[in-house]
Amino acid sequence: MTLPGPAAWPLSVTAVNDVTPRMRRIELGSPALAAFQYLPGQDVALAFSKDDGTSVRRRYTIRRFDRNRALLTIDVVLHGDGPAVRWARAVRPGVSIDAIGPRGKITLVNDADWHLFAGDATAVPGAFAMMETLPEDVPAHAFLLVDGPEERQPFTGEASHRTIAWRYETSQMTESSGLVAAVTAVDLPEGQGHAYVAGEVALVSALKAALLDRGWSADRVSAKAYWNRGRANAGHGEPELRAS
C-alpha cells in the first residue's frame, strides 16, 4: 500500500453544521481538490493564527471526501480553548484556510478479517470514516468514549456487521477505565483482527496495553495519541509528550 504524499491546498469553508452539541462538522472546498488522493484514516493539517500573530497547525481526520463536489469534510470536537477550537466555534462559510495533506500512516489494514476501533470523542471521526469504507461482509466493532448520550452519532454505513458501544465520560477515572475494561472483555470474532486506538495520551496507552496483555501482537495494533489532558498541543499539531 502506497500512501499519497502531502501537498498544500488553499481551501475555503463551504458549510458548518453541528453533528452533536460538541462535534462541529466543517466542509472545505476548492476546485483543486479534484486531484486530491487519500486513504481512509488519513488527515489534513490546518493552519491557525495565535494571539501573538504566529501560526500553529492542527491535524484533523478526513471524515468524508466528495470528489464530484470537490469537498473535504472534517469533524472538530469543541473542547478546550486553543486557536483551532476558537476558529471552529466562530467560523462561517467563505472563510479561507490553508491545509497540508493528506497526512498520517494509520489507515485500514486490508488483510484483516475484522476490525476493532476504540478511543474518545476525537477518535469518532476516524473510526466512522474507516468503518464506512469497509466491505459489507467485514465485521467491525467500535468502543467510543464521549461526554454523554447527546454525543452519540448515528452510523450511516452498512450496519449488519457493525457494532458500536458508547461509554460516557461522567468521571475521568471510572469511565476511561470502563472503556478499557470493555475492550478487554469483549468476545471477538475468529480470524486475524486489527485494532485502531486513538484519543488522549493516557487512554491510548491503557487501551494498547490492555490489548497486548490480551495476547495481541504489537503489529496488530495501530495507536495514535491526539491530545494530552491538561497540556496544549505542540505547534505542529502533535501532543506534547512528557519525556520518559
Side-chain angles (χ1 to χ4, degrees), residues 33-242:
L33 287 175
F36 188 75
Q37 299 287 338
Y38 83 110
L39 296 174
Q42 289 191 291
D43 58 57
V44 290
L46 304 182
F48 302 98
S49 297
K50 296 174 64 176
D51 293 339
D52 62 5
T54 61
S55 65
V56 294
R57 292 194 179 273
R58 296 290 181 261
R59 295 171 65 169
Y60 292 96
T61 303
I62 299 164
R63 181 62 182 85
R64 291 196 181 99
F65 175 59
D66 187 331
R67 188 175 307 281
N68 292 330
R69 298 171 63 206
L71 289 177
L72 183 154
T73 300
I74 62 170
D75 288 352
V76 180
V77 180
L78 300 178
H79 68 82
D81 190 38
V85 172
R86 290 196 295 271
W87 178 88
R89 292 185 190 278
V91 73
R92 297 292 183 269
V95 171
S96 298
I97 191 165
D98 292 329
I100 296 176
R103 304 285 301 271
K105 298 180 180 179
I106 295 180
T107 63
L108 285 170
V109 175
N110 293 326
D111 61 355
D113 298 316
W114 49 271
H115 303 261
L116 175 69
F117 300 88
D120 60 24
T122 61
V124 174
F128 274 32
M130 289 190 276
M131 290 172 70
E132 287 175 357
T133 61
L134 286 170
E136 294 182 2
D137 59 344
V138 176
H141 308 283
F143 294 82
L144 300 168
L145 178 67
V146 294
D147 283 351
E150 72 281 0
E151 291 300 316
R152 294 170 60 134
Q153 297 184 32
F155 180 70
T156 58
E158 167 59 38
S160 62
H161 288 81
R162 312 284 187 263
T163 63
I164 301 172
W166 298 94
R167 296 291 187 273
Y168 306 129
E169 195 168 2
T170 55
S171 164
Q172 176 188 345
M173 293 301 296
T174 302
E175 295 307 316
S176 296
S177 299
L179 183 72
V180 175
V183 171
T184 301
V186 65
D187 291 329
L188 296 172
E190 298 292 330
Q192 184 86 339
H194 195 90
Y196 312 81
V197 298
E200 198 273 333
V201 172
L203 178 61
V204 169
S205 179
L207 287 167
K208 183 175 181 180
L211 291 170
L212 296 178
D213 288 345
R214 191 170 173 173
W216 288 60
S217 59
D219 62 351
R220 292 173 55 203
V221 181
S222 297
K224 179 66 175 178
Y226 290 150
W227 62 287
N228 195 340
R229 193 179 299 274
R231 178 172 295 192
N233 278 1
H236 49 78
E238 300 290 352
E240 289 185 350
L241 301 178
R242 294 179 177 88

